[in-house]
Amino acid sequence: GVYRFLDDHPSLFRTGLPRCQYSSGGIVESALMPGAVTVRMNQRHAGVPVMGAQLVVNLEAGNHVMSAGGHALSNVAIN
């Protein structure tokens, strides 16, 4: 699924360990493609949501990634 894809492509969004950096922002099933889903992943840093940082991953049936995109921050500082 999504975490495996992010684990396999660490340089794609340059944010570190995906299981520590992202939480699910929702899953929506496709009305046009049976079995396909869109998964939103919200970036977090030290448990705090990173505003405006979200990935959108489209999966076809069988959890194969069709596309991935979005905005993520690689260097987050909390003040």
Side-chain angles (χ1 to χ4, degrees):
V2 176
Y3 284 120
R4 182 181 192 119
F5 174 77
L6 294 172
D7 281 336
D8 290 347
H9 301 90
S11 63
L12 189 59
F13 296 104
R14 300 174 306 217
T15 56
L17 299 173
R19 293 179 197 278
C20 297
Q21 290 283 321
Y22 295 100
S23 62
S24 176
I27 300 172
V28 177
E29 293 186 39
S30 172
L32 301 175
M33 295 179 60
V37 296
T38 298
V39 180
R40 295 185 180 279
M41 300 296 288
N42 298 321
Q43 187 179 8
R44 301 178 78 74
H45 180 76
V48 177
V50 179
M51 300 305 293
Q54 184 181 70
L55 304 181
V56 178
V57 182
N58 294 298
L59 304 163
E60 63 184 3
N63 283 332
H64 295 103
V65 174
M66 295 187 296
S67 65
H71 179 73
L73 299 176
S74 58
N75 296 314
V76 178
I78 297 177
N79 295 323

